[in-house]
Amino acid sequence: MALVSDLTTKVLFETEKGYSYQCDLTNSIVINFVDTMSSYKIHDFLIFQRKVNSVDILNMLYDLSDQSDAQLIETTKRNFSRNLTICEIVQLRDLLNGTKFTLNLHSMLCSIANVELI
């Protein structure tokens, strides 16, 4: 139970379908999305986030074939490999974009704090 409380205090971003946190021991970003947990170094996380954002949702919506109802999303190091529906892709985008925003905000605040200390 202590592990869960430690995770919730370090959450970077959270949605109804998942959450993300930064692991200080492994220096990685951990994504828990619909009961699938995957860990990424920051560079790999940014590649994954760009890949999910590059999915053409409008094309999937207008395509009436059965193949367009879902799309396989996977990372290069096989941390994450799932066939996601359109709604799940949008929800994963929200989680990844929120996580990236939080990381950028934290980085910006740290750089401002360091400038003011000097």
Side-chain angles (χ1 to χ4, degrees):
M1 193 67 169
L3 180 62
V4 173
S5 66
D6 289 342
L7 292 180
T8 57
T9 60
K10 297 180 182 180
V11 170
L12 293 171
F13 193 78
E14 185 173 9
T15 65
E16 289 181 13
K17 297 294 182 179
Y19 60 90
S20 62
Y21 65 92
Q22 185 170 353
C23 179
D24 295 330
L25 295 175
T26 60
N27 197 24
S28 59
I29 306 299
V30 179
I31 304 293
N32 184 334
F33 179 73
V34 190
D35 300 326
T36 301
M37 190 166 291
S38 52
S39 175
Y40 306 92
K41 296 294 184 187
I42 190 67
H43 179 70
D44 296 328
F45 168 77
L46 294 173
I47 290 171
F48 181 50
Q49 188 249 349
R50 274 183 262 144
K51 183 174 189 169
V52 172
N53 281 340
S54 71
V55 173
D56 189 359
I57 299 282
L58 285 177
N59 190 30
M60 290 176 72
L61 287 171
Y62 290 123
D63 188 352
L64 300 177
S65 66
D66 290 339
Q67 295 85 9
S68 69
D69 291 341
Q71 184 167 342
L72 179 65
I73 304 291
E74 58 186 356
T75 59
T76 55
K77 295 186 179 179
R78 308 292 272 177
N79 294 353
F80 186 93
S81 180
R82 288 194 53 184
N83 207 16
L84 299 177
T85 65
I86 295 171
C87 290
E88 289 174 326
I89 293 171
V90 171
Q91 292 164 344
L92 180 59
R93 274 186 184 180
D94 186 32
L95 177 62
L96 296 177
N97 291 336
T99 300
K100 182 180 177 186
F101 173 78
T102 303
L103 291 171
N104 287 338
L105 180 63
H106 178 69
S107 176
M108 184 176 61
L109 291 174
C110 286
S111 67
I112 290 172
N114 286 339
V115 168
E116 289 179 5
L117 292 176
I118 295 177

